[in-house]
């Protein structure tokens, strides 16, 4: 850097992409369970791929649905040079609720069944807030 050069603040832009839909006909709380996703909507993946920035650094959690969604976006034209996997980006762990249906959670945990609507201090038994 030349003497007297002015340093300006860099801007980091984040593009958050939610994973493709997870088939869940039994309405189970899956959290960090490694569920597959439905990537059959090619038109949607082509559309979304065109919206994503060129030259971005890509990250995904270690969960299949996150990796598969990113890979499908790349196959449909998104500019992904490398997919960095970070388990710290995995979905919330719902502890004892993982694998239960939402009806079972409501029946067994009544007033503590506020995991999406409640404040962050609400945590499922054995799970994360």
């Amino acid at each position: 850097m030349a003497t007297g050069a002015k340093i300006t603040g860099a801007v980091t832009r984040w593009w958050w992409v939610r994973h493709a839909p997870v088939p869940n006909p039994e309405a189970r709380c899956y959290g960090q369970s490694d569920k597959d996703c439905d990537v059959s909507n090619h038109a949607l993946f082509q559309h979304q791929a065109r919206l994503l920035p060129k030259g971005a650094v890509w990250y995904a959690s270690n969960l299949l649905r996150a990796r598969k969604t990113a890979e499908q976006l790349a196959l449909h034209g998104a500019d992904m040079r490398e997919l960095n996997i970070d388990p710290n980006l995995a979905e919330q762990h719902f502890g004892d609720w993982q694998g239960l249906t939402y009806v079972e959670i409501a029946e067994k945990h009544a007033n503590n069944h506020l995991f999406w609507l409640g404040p962050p201090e609400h945590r499922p038994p054995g799970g994360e807030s």
Side-chain angles (χ1 to χ4, degrees):
M1 175 168 38
T3 305
K6 189 174 191 176
I7 298 174
T8 59
V11 174
T12 300
R13 288 189 166 74
W14 294 90
W15 294 70
W16 293 100
V17 177
R18 177 116 170 106
H19 59 75
V22 172
N24 190 12
E26 296 176 335
R28 293 194 179 276
C29 176
Y30 51 85
Q32 287 188 6
S33 301
D34 205 13
K35 304 280 284 178
D36 200 355
C37 61
D38 178 4
V39 293
S40 64
N41 189 339
H42 299 288
L44 179 61
F45 275 99
Q46 288 171 342
H47 173 76
Q48 293 301 109
R50 284 193 300 270
L51 298 175
L52 296 171
K54 305 286 185 224
V57 177
W58 284 61
Y59 282 87
S61 79
N62 58 318
L63 299 174
L64 174 62
R65 58 189 176 268
R67 294 189 323 267
K68 193 171 180 178
T69 298
E71 291 164 354
Q72 283 297 312
L73 284 165
L75 287 172
H76 285 86
D79 180 22
M80 179 175 67
R81 293 179 183 98
E82 177 185 2
L83 181 58
N84 298 287
I85 303 299
D86 187 344
N88 292 312
L89 297 174
E91 198 153 338
Q92 179 180 355
H93 195 291
F94 290 106
D96 296 349
W97 294 356
Q98 287 190 176
L100 297 179
T101 66
Y102 293 107
V103 170
E104 290 169 331
I105 294 169
E107 289 172 354
K108 294 178 182 180
H109 299 281
N111 293 336
N112 196 24
H113 183 234
L114 300 172
F115 59 95
W116 288 118
L117 303 176
E121 46 286 348
H122 277 87
R123 79 186 303 150
E128 300 173 318
S129 63

